[in-house]
Amino acid sequence: MTVTAHRTGLAVRDEQLRELMDDPGCDRRRLDATLRRFGTVNRLVSGWGAVYRDRLRPFLAEHGRPARVLDLGSGGGDLVVRLAGLAARDGLAVEWLGVDPDPRAHAVATARAPTPSITFEQSDAEALVARGERFDAVISNHVLHHLDAAALASFTSLSAQLSSGIVLHSDIERSRTAYALYTVGITPFAPGTFLRTDGLRSIRRSFRRHELGEVLGDRWQVERPVPFRLLASRRADG
């Protein structure tokens, strides 16, 4: 039996919560503002600077050819744009693809300044597997906490099938401290967006480190690259 968050606080992951921006009928202006502002918020709290420096950049630097990187559930595209900029600064030749099945997120992503190395597509992991796509690295940000057990198993399995190198899934780690800090810290960025309500709901839906490790199994390594963040990683089969 699922115990609801109002009874347990943050002791138990609350899979029953739904984020406002996931509602197809939500206010479009607030949604677009939320997706655009994710770029700023993610730079501050997502930990991808450390993940790029310690995990992704060394891997990409091993290639003697342009690498292909896939961002699954790329939302408004801010992570792809940020990582592409870091890789270009480091002289790495990389082709980036961000995919998201939500047409609203895809519209925000494609409105970003285009570059030859970045492509956005309204699609998902299942469609990419069906057409035989393969990438050197597959990543995601803030996807895992949206998924129930069956969807999580499918998503992580498909992401591994799509990678010939590494898979890196980054997400929030549920904790009272993270909840309290986010409540205060998001205030300057929240007006006109869903950032406050949905961010707090995301924390309540998120895993703790041992929980995610138990769900994903032995093939996956779950680390804490920076405070309040989890990184689930694995090497591709073979």
Side-chain angles (χ1 to χ4, degrees):
M1 182 178 73
T2 300
V3 182
T4 57
H6 74 273
R7 291 173 55 194
T8 64
L10 291 160
V12 176
R13 181 180 182 232
D14 192 339
E15 295 184 40
Q16 303 305 309
L17 283 175
R18 292 295 179 266
E19 296 182 20
L20 299 178
M21 62 187 296
D22 291 337
D23 180 356
C26 73
D27 186 291
R28 182 60 181 267
R29 288 176 299 178
R30 290 171 66 89
L31 174 64
D32 288 354
T34 301
L35 292 169
R36 291 194 301 268
R37 213 162 293 174
F38 271 146
T40 300
V41 175
N42 280 331
R43 282 177 179 271
L44 295 173
V45 303
S46 72
W48 271 100
V51 174
Y52 172 79
R53 181 189 67 237
D54 298 336
R55 300 295 299 273
L56 190 56
R57 180 175 65 186
F59 173 78
L60 296 175
E62 295 173 359
H63 288 70
R65 56 172 174 76
R68 298 185 75 207
V69 178
L70 168 67
D71 181 9
L72 287 172
S74 54
D78 63 280
L79 180 61
V80 169
V81 171
R82 180 186 178 193
L83 294 178
L86 292 173
R89 180 201 65 188
D90 292 333
L92 300 174
V94 185
E95 297 174 1
W96 302 86
L97 174 62
V99 301
D100 199 295
D102 190 329
R104 304 167 302 170
H106 179 65
V108 173
T110 53
R112 294 181 180 274
T115 70
S117 66
I118 299 174
T119 303
F120 291 107
E121 182 178 326
Q122 187 183 333
S123 187
D124 59 20
E126 188 172 9
L128 296 179
V129 168
R131 72 187 197 208
E133 292 278 11
R134 294 278 278 178
F135 300 84
D136 297 292
V138 176
I139 66 174
S140 78
N141 186 55
H142 290 171
V143 174
L144 302 187
H145 73 265
H146 286 274
L147 309 176
D148 60 24
L152 180 65
S154 175
F155 178 80
T156 53
S157 174
L158 290 168
S159 70
Q161 293 177 55
L162 286 165
S163 177
S164 60
I166 59 172
V167 185
L168 303 170
H169 294 309
S170 177
D171 212 329
I172 307 158
E173 182 176 23
R174 189 179 79 255
S175 76
R176 289 180 174 84
T177 303
Y179 194 92
L181 290 174
Y182 187 86
T183 300
V184 176
I186 198 60
T187 300
F189 309 101
T193 75
F194 298 126
L195 285 171
R196 182 182 177 86
T197 299
D198 280 3
L200 294 174
R201 291 185 179 188
S202 292
I203 294 171
R204 290 164 63 184
R205 282 190 59 96
S206 297
F207 296 90
R208 291 183 174 166
R209 183 177 180 180
H210 73 277
E211 294 171 346
L212 186 56
E214 290 170 1
V215 169
L216 294 182
D218 294 339
R219 294 298 308 275
W220 293 85
Q221 180 179 2
V222 180
E223 308 164 65
R224 187 179 292 115
V226 297
F228 316 123
R229 301 290 304 187
L230 297 177
L231 182 70
S233 64
R234 65 173 283 181
R235 286 271 176 171
D237 294 331

